[in-house]
């Protein structure tokens, strides 16, 4: 696991990353390398459902340390929105705000 993770971070993850999901089911986005996609909100799913249905999985995450607080400022209002209960799922919330943060996933 460690050699593969090191190879991913040092040779495939772009420099602008804020968060990387190490396992994503039903990925939605654009491939940027052989093992990585740039997550995008699924515009086929309504916003009120938090674009639920894609980019599922929160088994392992990488966060760039200096990006955590700016990312939380965007993420928290999405997660704790009573009008959008599906955003309580962290993986859905990150995918839903992926047009505002730089979020990648390993499909």
């Amino acid at each position: 696991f460690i050699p593969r993770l090191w190879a991913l971070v040092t040779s495939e993850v772009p420099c602008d990353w804020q968060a990387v999901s190490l396992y994503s089911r039903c990925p939605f986005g654009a491939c940027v390398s052989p093992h990585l996609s740039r997550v995008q909100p699924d515009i086929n799913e309504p916003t009120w459902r938090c674009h639920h249905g894609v980019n599922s999985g929160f088994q392992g995450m990488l966060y760039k340390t200096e990006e955590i607080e700016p990312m939380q400022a965007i993420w928290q209002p999405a997660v704790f929105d009573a009008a959008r209960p599906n955003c309580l799922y962290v993986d859905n919330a990150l995918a839903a705000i992926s047009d505002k943060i730089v979020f990648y996933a390993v499909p």
Side-chain angles (χ1 to χ4, degrees):
F1 171 77
I2 293 171
R4 290 179 64 194
L5 178 61
W6 182 252
L8 179 75
V9 172
T10 58
S11 63
E12 293 190 52
V13 176
C15 295
D16 66 344
W17 72 282
Q18 290 179 289
V20 177
S21 171
L22 297 178
Y23 176 69
S24 182
R25 290 182 301 253
C26 302
F28 188 85
C31 291
V32 296
S33 73
H35 303 103
L36 201 64
S37 67
R38 170 75 190 262
V39 176
Q40 299 169 341
D42 182 1
I43 58 172
N44 299 309
E45 293 292 331
T47 302
W48 66 268
R49 289 192 63 218
C50 204
H51 305 284
H52 184 74
V54 297
N55 296 307
S56 299
F58 203 67
Q59 288 73 26
M61 291 290 298
L62 299 176
Y63 295 99
K64 191 180 280 186
T65 308
E66 64 268 16
E67 297 292 336
I68 290 176
E69 286 187 32
M71 200 169 61
Q72 280 182 331
I74 299 167
W75 172 79
Q76 286 175 338
V79 170
F80 300 109
D81 182 354
R84 296 171 24 170
N86 279 331
C87 283
L88 281 172
Y89 299 106
V90 178
D91 49 357
N92 289 348
L94 284 171
I97 64 169
S98 62
D99 57 341
K100 298 173 184 77
I101 65 167
V102 186
F103 180 34
Y104 294 93
V106 177

